[in-house]
Amino acid sequence: MRSVGPARRTRPIATAGRLVWYPRRLLKVSEQVRERETRRLDRVVVRFAGDSGDGMQLTGEQFTSETATFGNDLSTLPDFPAEIRAPAGTPAGVSGFQLHFSDHDILTPGDAPDVLVAMNPAALKANLKDLPPGANLIVNTDAFTGGNLKKAGYATDPLTDGTLDPYLVHRVPLTSMTINAVHAAEETAGSVNKKEAERAKNMFALGLMSWLYHRPTEGTVGFLEKKFAKRPEIAAANIAAFRAGFNYGETTESFTVTYEVAPARMKSGTYRRITGNLALSYGLIAAGELTGLPVFLGSYPITPASDILHELSKHKRFGVRTFQAEDEIAGIGAALGASFGGSLGITTTSGPGVALKSETIGLAVSLELPLVVVDIQRGGPSTGLPTKTEQADLLQAMFGRNGEAPVPIVAPRSPGDCFDAAVEAARLATKYRTPVFLLSDGYLANGSEPWLLPKREALPDLTVAFTTEPNHTGPKGPEFWPYLRDPETLARPWAVPGTPGLEHRIGGIEKSDGQGNISYDPANHDRMVRLRAAKVAGIANDIPPLEVEDPSGQARVLVLGWGSTYGPIAAGCRRVRAKGLHVAQAHLRHLNPFPANTGEILRSYDKVLIPEMNLGQLRTLIRAEFLVDAIGYNQVRGLPFKAAELAGVLEDVINQ
């Protein structure tokens, strides 16, 4: 947390005899006149942490919504256990939500929190290691009972044993104050029991943080009224707790400073807060509109991809049909069948599901039909870390099928970029009649940022023209040859079943070139394999060249990344350049094929560093394809890279 400039403002928070409203009653503040300082900051990192049932994700999302409404740039990192109800009160069951917001362009959710809200000892235990000395720490003292301390693994109470001495600690009895506030509210009198009142403590914390950082409050009140419209007494309880938290900050002497972060200067237009999965869903809907095709999603629920199924199911009015299949294989089979029938077939999954879908992806390669395979990567192998992020499915997407079965691969770099990546995947799938992998990950899927709504006229025209007439003249007259290719794209024609005169065979057995009949001829098989590979390779001429950011033009080290590593890499490069060092950055969206100028760029630098959240999968491909001895920096912790971490690695490589 850094202050901007020397200017600081103060405001009176209490005057002699002033009466302050606090849950449904008036409190008389000290007769002494006090001044509270307001500091201007350029950025802040906030983390909410508690049991997975404490509503930390909801609290973080609502604080994020109000921050977006205020106009700050932001980036978020939700972090929660895989279990539906993880062991309460234990570090393994802690759910956290981190938000980085600023008055300027930012790229990551922050390396370390400037303020931590810990709802119980377990939350403190799990997160204290990330808190830098001097940071603000807000603890719910009501939760620090003997039993809770034992479950969290504390032998002594950290509130009294000196553990928290390096931090600015604010001891707040969140639970009891929430219960008192809810029961004192007229709207909840007699209608909300103690347990229901206690559940609103996350709203007390939200109110306090909203006061501390001057966040708007009207949106939260409206959100609660809408969310609990069928139970107005619960809505009233949460609103009472939220207002009580806000007013507690106004009246307590624990906080002597409040903070302001001015709105960021951003490109003009209409913005909304968006997560990666939501942006990807909107991109698929847009692709349906741009191609003129109905969208069909065949999917089986799996973390962290299920949100896409949930979202697309809401948009039938845009010609979107969703099918929740009984398993992964049925989901992709239905999607491929929909493509054969003239729809934009899509299937969504994560790494374990890709393994199950691999045979049908190979079938789509053989049939040469468009299919978008969305893989929201997570920690593996097997069940692995369902709610944690990783980039370890790249080689599976490249090679995870029998035979020679190449497919294009597209990877977004930020939550908002998931929209454009989805449109691009649909473009390649429909234009080249091929399955396309869209590799996102859990970090992008659940993270959020401000997103500039695109103008309709700025989106590409992806109109698909089906074949409606015979395309070959045979001995008996006009015929339809299903594998007679476009000379530019090598794509075969797409004919909707039932079109008169265009009857043809499909199936997994090899087809003869052009005619499409079953063929076991060795020379034909060799030709078909090479044609399918050439079709995918030719996409390199239809995608933008790889761009390099090298502000000084003097860099001898290039950092190459893909997918969600963009933000941490770019932030790390900024830090290194601020020290006067020179470094270049390039980021790949297309991973198969690579942009046509990739080799030229790689060979232009003395050293190439590739940070990945795997053990070096892109580095393996780069070395094999371009014979460049790239340097890898790899971690598989289930968390994104930190900017400071990559900056340190960059400095070491530059100075070697």
Side-chain angles (χ1 to χ4, degrees):
M1 202 159 49
R2 303 193 302 269
S3 297
V4 178
R8 293 181 178 178
R9 297 189 302 158
T10 59
R11 60 173 180 168
I13 63 163
T15 58
R18 177 185 173 195
L19 296 177
V20 180
W21 185 89
Y22 181 70
R24 307 304 301 177
R25 66 185 187 275
L26 294 174
L27 298 179
K28 193 168 185 178
V29 184
S30 169
E31 296 294 320
Q32 181 181 2
V33 178
R34 294 188 293 115
E35 295 274 322
R36 178 171 281 138
E37 179 186 4
T38 298
R39 293 180 187 170
R40 290 181 56 197
L41 308 172
D42 66 346
R43 63 177 182 87
V44 174
V45 180
V46 173
R47 184 183 296 177
F48 297 93
D51 270 339
S52 58
D54 282 342
M56 294 296 95
Q57 301 305 312
L58 177 65
T59 304
E61 288 173 1
Q62 193 55 38
F63 192 77
T64 301
S65 293
E66 296 296 1
T67 297
T69 300
F70 189 75
N72 297 118
D73 195 15
L74 61 89
S75 179
T76 67
L77 177 62
D79 185 20
F80 45 89
E83 292 80 7
I84 294 175
R85 188 66 175 95
T90 67
V94 170
S95 172
F97 190 103
Q98 184 162 303
L99 164 66
H100 184 191
F101 61 100
S102 73
D103 64 1
H104 60 277
D105 171 49
I106 57 174
L107 300 164
T108 74
D111 287 357
D114 299 306
V115 57
L116 170 64
V117 180
M119 302 297 285
N120 60 18
L124 182 67
K125 183 85 169 183
N127 291 277
L128 191 61
K129 62 183 183 298
D130 297 330
L131 200 65
N136 280 286
L137 173 60
I138 300 172
V139 292
N140 176 18
T141 56
D142 288 332
F144 281 71
T145 63
N148 285 343
L149 290 169
K150 184 177 180 180
K151 283 192 288 185
Y154 281 114
T156 59
D157 189 346
L159 297 181
T160 59
D161 65 6
T163 300
L164 307 182
D165 288 350
Y167 312 104
L168 183 59
V169 181
H170 305 278
R171 294 169 169 82
V172 183
L174 277 166
T175 304
S176 57
M177 294 184 73
T178 298
I179 294 172
N180 291 338
V182 171
H183 286 165
E186 293 178 0
E187 297 86 348
T188 62
S191 59
V192 176
N193 59 41
K194 182 179 179 181
K195 186 175 182 180
E196 290 172 328
E198 181 180 342
R199 287 175 180 165
K201 61 181 179 292
N202 62 323
M203 288 297 106
F204 188 103
L206 177 60
L208 177 57
M209 294 300 292
S210 298
W211 168 83
L212 187 61
Y213 289 101
H214 297 256
R215 301 293 91 184
T217 60
E218 296 82 2
T220 297
V221 173
F223 164 78
L224 292 171
E225 290 175 340
K226 181 178 180 180
K227 181 176 179 61
F228 298 108
K230 295 183 178 180
R231 293 200 63 186
E233 73 281 5
I234 299 299
N238 280 275
I239 292 171
F242 174 70
R243 287 174 173 163
F246 191 97
N247 291 328
Y248 173 78
E250 189 70 43
T251 59
T252 185
E253 296 185 5
S254 175
F255 296 90
T256 59
V257 178
T258 63
Y259 305 94
E260 284 186 351
V261 180
R265 293 184 178 181
M266 305 174 78
K267 183 179 178 181
S268 62
T270 302
Y271 287 81
R272 63 155 295 163
R273 180 181 71 88
I274 202 163
T275 64
N277 273 353
L278 183 58
L280 201 154
S281 300
Y282 288 172
L284 295 174
I285 296 170
E289 294 291 307
L290 295 169
T291 57
L293 302 176
V295 173
F296 180 91
L297 173 67
S299 181
Y300 179 75
I302 184 173
T303 302
S306 299
D307 289 342
I308 302 170
L309 171 61
H310 301 159
E311 183 61 34
L312 289 181
S313 68
K314 303 175 185 177
H315 298 286
K316 296 178 182 178
R317 65 187 184 280
F318 291 114
V320 178
R321 290 168 291 173
T322 54
F323 168 53
Q324 180 175 321
E326 64 269 30
D327 55 42
E328 297 280 5
I329 298 172
I332 190 173
L336 184 57
S339 289
F340 176 60
S343 295
L344 176 57
I346 301 162
T347 190
T348 54
T349 189
S350 189
V354 173
L356 293 168
K357 295 177 187 290
S358 62
E359 183 179 6
T360 306
I361 296 172
L363 176 61
V365 171
S366 178
L367 300 182
E368 299 191 51
L369 284 171
L371 179 68
V372 177
V373 181
V374 179
D375 177 6
I376 311 298
Q377 300 166 94
R378 71 190 206 187
S382 189
T383 304
L385 304 173
T387 61
K388 310 300 180 183
T389 194
E390 205 164 277
Q391 287 184 303
D393 291 348
L394 176 56
L395 293 184
Q396 181 178 213
M398 282 287 294
F399 305 119
R401 294 161 295 283
N402 68 300
E404 297 287 344
V407 297
I409 303 173
V410 178
R413 68 184 192 179
S414 69
D417 190 46
C418 289
F419 176 91
D420 298 308
V423 172
E424 173 67 357
R427 181 185 78 87
L428 296 178
T430 54
K431 183 174 181 178
Y432 292 90
R433 312 289 197 261
T434 177
V436 176
F437 262 101
L438 177 53
L439 291 184
S440 180
D441 61 44
Y443 170 39
L444 296 184
N446 297 316
S448 62
E449 66 179 359
W451 178 55
L452 176 62
L453 270 64
K455 301 290 186 181
R456 173 61 179 84
E457 56 271 17
L459 298 176
D461 182 4
L462 305 183
T463 303
V464 172
F466 292 110
T467 299
T468 57
E469 301 290 339
N471 58 2
H472 179 76
T473 301
K476 298 181 180 180
E479 299 176 344
F480 175 59
W481 281 23
Y483 285 88
L484 191 64
R485 300 175 184 278
D486 181 286
E488 179 182 350
T489 65
L490 298 181
R492 77 171 185 85
W494 192 4
V496 176
T499 304
L502 304 189
E503 296 83 1
H504 60 283
R505 294 184 179 89
I506 64 167
I509 299 178
E510 186 66 279
K511 305 297 186 295
S512 62
D513 180 29
Q515 190 177 24
N517 291 328
I518 292 174
S519 173
Y520 292 97
D521 179 68
N524 175 79
H525 177 59
D526 184 272
R527 176 172 174 76
M528 291 294 281
V529 167
R530 294 180 186 277
L531 279 171
R532 288 189 289 262
K535 178 177 67 172
V536 173
I539 292 174
N541 300 316
D542 191 26
I543 58 178
L546 182 62
E547 296 182 355
V548 179
E549 181 186 349
D550 184 2
S552 69
Q554 302 177 46
R556 303 314 308 155
V557 173
L558 171 71
V559 190
L560 181 68
W562 70 278
S564 66
T565 58
Y566 172 78
I569 291 174
C573 288
R574 287 181 181 180
R575 295 189 182 202
V576 169
R577 291 170 186 150
K579 294 183 177 182
L581 300 176
H582 305 290
V583 64
Q585 179 190 3
H587 208 76
L588 290 164
R589 163 173 282 184
H590 297 88
L591 295 153
N592 192 37
F594 292 120
N597 66 333
T598 303
E600 176 187 353
I601 286 176
L602 294 175
R603 287 185 281 268
S604 299
Y605 293 88
D606 296 339
K607 299 176 183 177
V608 177
L609 174 67
I610 304 179
E612 298 180 80
M613 292 187 292
N614 57 48
L615 296 184
Q617 297 188 14
L618 175 60
R619 185 182 72 220
T620 297
L621 297 176
I622 291 294
R623 284 177 166 178
E625 182 81 11
F626 303 107
L627 302 181
V628 172
D629 190 16
I631 303 167
Y633 182 72
N634 309 97
Q635 60 97 340
V636 280
R637 300 187 294 255
L639 294 169
F641 286 112
K642 294 183 178 181
E645 173 187 9
L646 291 183
V649 173
L650 276 171
E651 289 185 40
D652 291 342
V653 173
I654 292 170
N655 293 325
Q656 283 177 354

